[in-house]
Amino acid sequence: MQQARLSVDPAFVVAPINRRVFGSFVEHMGRCVYTGIYEPGHPTADDDGLRGDVLDLVRELGVTTIRYPGGNFVSGYRWEDGVGPVQDRPTRLDPAWRTIESNEFGLNEFMRWARKAGVEPMLAMNLGTRGLQEAVDLLEYTNHPGGTALSDLRIRHGATDPHDVRIWCLGNEMDGPWQLGHKSADDYGRLAAVTARAMRQFDPHLELVACGSSSRAMPTFGAWEATVLEHTYEVVDHISAHAYYQLHGDDHASFLASAVDMDRFIDQVTATADHVGARLGSDRRIDVSFDEWNVWYLEELMDGRGGLPQDWTVAPRTSEEPYTVLDAVVVGSLLITLLRHADRVTAASQAQLVNTISAIRTEPGGPAWRQTIFHPFALTARHARGTVLDVRLDAPTLATERYGPVPVLDPVATYDADDGRLTVLVVNRHPSEEVSFSTSLHGFGGGTLVEAVVLADKDLTAVNTQDDPDRVVPREHPDASVRDGTLSARLPPASWSMLVLEVG
Ligand code: AHR
């Protein structure tokens, strides 16, 4: 059996975890909003039409920040359509997803939902078909306490208190030719800069996210970030990154190593940002908002099998991925990578929350359930606390077609000095072999195992369904133990494990 050893010491720290890294995303896409978070008439819906069963699962998932309302949707969205008396709101075509948008759910409904879910809102604004004026209007409507036309309008709409949204995305994927109002890096950079400056005139403490690349595979990747940041470096805080991964054919090894791409993506974006900072002689540091990431069978969507193109229907079933065990393991390792970069990734949003590319699934009028990917997310959000430790891995490599040789394990360790808990999260990327894993706890003065779970299955294609919602759940680790100050476990092939210890 292959052997791997991890060195962990509380003295070596990457950075404190920014809780925003456990964010998610609600877009007006498919059934994420309609019959997802919002379904008046559902047996669990409250007076606002918000599904109570979904709210319960969102709280259990432990998400912290929710990006809204898009995505591609936002680049053609008029925020004014979604506020005020519902009967007066216009029905519109949404060209991004070729659907009909009733506008029954909009900004104030989302804010009410976010309050009930206990999450921080992160709003995206339309810099595709719209610009500076609409952006500052939206900001005034959303955040100004009162006494002006737009803030008083919000109050008349029933939202007496300002929403006080702190973090804003300046558009969405403006590098993508598919985006409504797609722009060159120069044009977008200029627009983002003037918009950011105007927003800061309103409130200098806002946190602003400029659009980075919609994938590391974009032909403009790198150059896009450099140009956009040349324009915006002094007025934004984050540059965004988006990445979706999928299994290609039966290449399990490459799929299990998807986080290698995410890792390189983050390193290259931060290097580019630092290079621009150096050229500009700036002492500011731009962080990464990884505000769309997940497993997504995008190729299937594009060739019509996932539901697109739609013909102007309302809330169709789009990209309702039935996530497998293998997908969940990959999601676990993408989270590990985000954590490992805690010094630069200070916000992230899994895309998306409900039904569309989601951790939570619902049926209209029916139940809500946890997809396989729900579990590594919920456990990571609950147990990865405090600081991320700078670990060293000594492990054999695994040959992959897409990424070359990669370490067979993908680990991260977090340490919460307040409650003396050390959490080790580790993925075995080997598709068919167990790996024996060990870590000395001597740097902590020893420790005891308080929780050890593994997500693995002989059937890597197993999924959770409405009829069998708990087919795939994390199980107790069969043989994790601490002996003589050393934590050890046999990690099954293609598995995600979480080992929580009380140390010291
Ligand atoms: O999350 C689904 C879509 O993926 C978003 O609308 C878009 O930003 C990205 O391409």
Side-chain angles (χ1 to χ4, degrees), residues 239-271:
I239 182 96
S240 71
H242 292 179
Y244 294 99
Y245 300 96
Q246 71 167 93
L247 172 65
H248 296 275
D250 60 0
D251 185 2
H252 289 179
S254 295
F255 184 42
L256 284 160
S258 297
V260 170
D261 177 79
M262 184 186 243
D263 209 66
R264 293 175 188 164
F265 198 166
I266 296 166
D267 285 344
Q268 291 173 340
V269 170
T270 51

Side-chain angles (χ1 to χ4, degrees), residues 25 27 29 71-73 97 172-173 178 242 244 292 296 351-352 357:
F25 175 34
E27 176 168 6
M29 175 181 177
N72 295 344
F73 172 79
W97 302 111
N172 175 71
E173 294 190 352
W178 59 85
H242 292 179
Y244 294 99
E292 285 188 32
W296 184 12
Q352 300 183 5
I357 338 171

Side-chain angles (χ1 to χ4, degrees), residues 222-237:
W224 172 275
E225 280 79 357
T227 305
V228 167
L229 286 173
E230 292 274 349
H231 290 286
T232 59
Y233 201 87
E234 294 301 327
V235 286
V236 302
D237 305 283

Side-chain angles (χ1 to χ4, degrees), residues 339-388:
L339 284 170
R340 227 186 355 251
H341 290 276
D343 55 336
R344 297 305 290 267
V345 177
T346 48
S349 297
Q350 191 182 39
Q352 300 183 5
L353 187 65
V354 189
N355 291 327
T356 309
I357 338 171
S358 67
I360 299 169
R361 276 289 309 276
T362 69
E363 272 305 311
W369 67 96
R370 303 165 189 82
Q371 294 238 61
T372 59
I373 65 168
F374 183 100
H375 296 291
F377 192 108
L379 287 168
T380 304
R382 194 172 324 139
H383 293 282
R385 300 201 158 266
T387 54
V388 174

